[in-house]
Amino acid sequence: MLSLNIDLPDTSYPIIIEKDIIKKIGKKILPYAQRKKIVIVTDKNVDALYGDALIQNIEKSGFQVHLIRLYPGENSKSLGVLECVYKELLNFDMTKSDLLIAFGGGVIGDLTGFAAATFLRGIPFIQIPTSLIAQVDSSIGGKTAVNLKEGKNLVGSFYHPRAVFIDPQLLHSLKPRFFSDGMAEVIKYGCIKDSELFSKLETLNQKQLISHMDEIILRCCEIKKRIVEEDEKDESTRMLLNFGHTFGHAVEKIYHYKKYTHGEAVAVGMYHITGKSEEMGYTQKGTAERIKNLLIKFNLPFNLPDIDEASLSEALSPDKKSRGNDIHLVLLKAIGESFIHLADKKNLKEFIIKEGVKV
Ligand code: GLY
């Protein structure tokens, strides 16, 4: 078992990484449950694989369990689905002392976290992330949200879970494309804060990677812990976690969140921005090439698709969540060293078009 603690002024909670932890989850959650009612929110795919075993295990510890099963995918992160979740919580007579469990990927974690933050002005919840991207990123740090039709994550709050239980064994049932999706965020951590992690990813073969997965997840969680403890509310250092995301979000948006997974879009964004910043002299030469090779190794795309400049520029415009007209671009000095570069709409163009680069 590996573990670490997120320590913030108003809360502190453990992240526990252990193979097959879901087989003993009933006992593990005992310290966090004041009463006997538990609602699990999951999606149909996760439920089909692990739902029954999870419920039985929790019931064995004496809990009364209700399961809410949602459709997989981003469409479930909506106000409509949130209202259905509230109604199910009411029908099950959930009180402020009962416990909610998010059992799924990022969509389930974000939606359940926001339901927990707002139902009865806040009830306790636990994260059991099942995808790699949720295990290394979205289940930690307290960002919860739903989408509006105008954009992703426009309604949300910072609300932390009581504990995060990560079972790396669950990754074996992930489709290869979604394993790669999570690896993009793992590569991101190496890029922004940890050259050793980056080098390790360059060296390990597939078999070694699988056997080192617990430590790799721990390393990512440690980096996120340090960043979140320094800047919980995303006002400074936490923005470094957005490396590759400015162009990544634009690509996701242009293709209506259908063609690229989040990780794939971030992969493209990391390579693109680093290529540009290298040309501009901000980044050590050869950095973009190393990123590209690692993305190829993990079956991730790296080239920005053939999007016209105007659409890209429009998709990159500061949105409702930006502060004023500036965009905070995250750049690398070298692998493992990142910084924030403020760009306004005008000088953002430099990062779009450069001689010899197709956009
Ligand atoms: N996923 C980025 C953050 O938690 O800030």
Side-chain angles (χ1 to χ4, degrees):
M1 183 189 92
L2 301 169
S3 71
L4 69 158
N5 236 53
I6 304 278
D7 295 309
L8 294 162
D10 296 327
T11 183
S12 169
Y13 58 97
I15 299 171
I16 306 201
I17 304 164
E18 187 177 340
K19 284 204 177 83
D20 287 327
I21 200 169
I22 64 159
K23 295 189 177 152
K24 40 189 159 174
I25 202 74
K27 287 207 179 91
K28 294 281 179 187
I29 60 178
L30 278 172
Y32 307 100
Q34 293 173 39
R35 293 201 338 143
K36 289 287 160 199
K37 281 197 178 176
I38 290 193
V39 169
I40 302 168
V41 183
T42 191
D43 71 36
K44 291 192 180 207
N45 294 342
V46 175
D47 179 42
L49 290 168
Y50 306 109
D52 286 348
L54 190 85
I55 293 175
Q56 277 166 25
N57 194 283
I58 295 178
E59 283 178 344
K60 250 194 347 217
S61 291
F63 293 103
Q64 199 187 335
V65 181
H66 176 66
L67 184 117
I68 303 177
R69 192 187 305 106
L70 305 177
Y71 284 105
E74 202 65 36
N75 286 349
S76 285
K77 233 173 93 176
S78 69
L79 287 171
V81 172
L82 181 69
E83 190 177 2
C84 296
V85 170
Y86 291 144
K87 286 190 176 146
E88 294 224 26
L89 297 178
L90 285 172
N91 291 340
F92 193 59
D93 290 328
M94 285 287 274
T95 69
K96 279 175 90 72
S97 317
D98 294 308
L99 187 66
L100 202 50
I101 296 182
F103 183 48
V107 166
I108 292 295
D110 286 4
L111 173 94
T112 309
F114 191 60
T118 47
F119 184 71
L120 306 179
R121 296 200 183 89
I123 64 172
F125 89 112
I126 277 178
Q127 290 268 19
I128 310 179
T130 58
S131 66
L132 181 56
I133 208 160
Q135 294 189 348
V136 296
D137 184 19
S138 58
S139 66
I140 308 152
K143 279 191 181 173
T144 75
V146 292
N147 304 329
L148 298 181
K149 73 173 178 356
E150 288 79 2
K152 277 176 81 171
N153 299 327
L154 289 180
V155 179
S157 69
F158 288 97
Y159 190 73
H160 295 268
R162 296 292 163 101
V164 182
F165 295 105
I166 298 177
D167 186 342
Q169 206 59 21
L170 300 178
L171 301 179
H172 290 287
S173 55
L174 273 188
K175 291 202 173 100
R177 185 176 181 199
F178 290 97
F179 184 76
S180 295
D181 180 50
M183 283 309 297
E185 295 282 358
V186 175
I187 293 168
K188 177 197 80 180
Y189 283 113
C191 287
I192 61 168
K193 283 282 175 196
D194 193 341
S195 59
E196 231 176 82
L197 171 65
F198 194 95
S199 305
K200 195 168 177 175
L201 296 174
E202 288 178 315
T203 336
L204 294 178
N205 65 33
Q206 187 66 17
K207 211 166 144 207
Q208 291 165 326
L209 178 85
I210 301 297
S211 66
H212 284 77
M213 216 51 217
D214 305 28
E215 298 147 50
I216 289 172
I217 294 170
L218 176 71
R219 193 64 203 122
C220 296
C221 294
E222 278 168 352
I223 296 169
K224 183 138 187 192
K225 164 196 160 68
R226 280 208 319 267
I227 291 178
V228 169
E229 285 177 354
E230 198 180 315
D231 173 31
E232 183 191 355
K233 296 284 159 65
D234 209 4
E235 284 159 348
S236 54
T237 323
R238 190 163 179 168
M239 291 179 202
L240 294 176
L241 294 170
N242 283 339
F243 174 56
H245 284 58
T246 305
F247 280 84
H249 283 153
V251 167
E252 280 186 287
K253 195 166 154 188
I254 288 167
Y255 290 97
H256 308 287
Y257 304 95
K258 291 206 163 69
K259 185 167 172 191
Y260 290 84
T261 65
H262 177 69
E264 287 167 351
V266 167
V268 165
M270 292 192 289
Y271 176 61
H272 177 79
I273 198 85
T274 307
K276 295 289 177 220
S277 65
E278 217 177 284
E279 285 172 23
M280 291 175 205
Y282 293 118
T283 306
Q284 195 175 81
K285 290 271 178 234
T287 306
E289 189 65 15
R290 280 182 77 191
I291 295 177
K292 174 177 154 181
N293 289 336
L294 202 48
L295 297 175
I296 293 172
K297 177 171 177 179
F298 290 103
N299 298 316
L300 285 158
F302 56 90
N303 265 333
L304 200 63
D306 202 357
I307 304 165
D308 66 87
E309 195 192 330
S311 318
L312 194 54
S313 183
E314 169 64 26
L316 284 167
S317 293
D319 60 23
K320 294 179 189 63
K321 286 197 295 176
S322 318
R323 294 153 174 88
N325 260 329
D326 294 330
I327 292 193
H328 296 80
L329 285 179
V330 182
L331 307 182
L332 304 184
K333 277 198 189 112
I335 294 294
E337 276 180 74
S338 48
F339 65 100
I340 292 165
H341 174 85
L342 262 195
D344 63 21
K345 256 188 110 167
K346 252 190 280 133
N347 56 30
L348 196 60
K349 269 199 182 303
E350 296 180 81
F351 287 89
I352 299 180
I353 289 250
K354 270 273 146 147
E355 212 187 324
V357 176
K358 199 172 162 204
V359 290

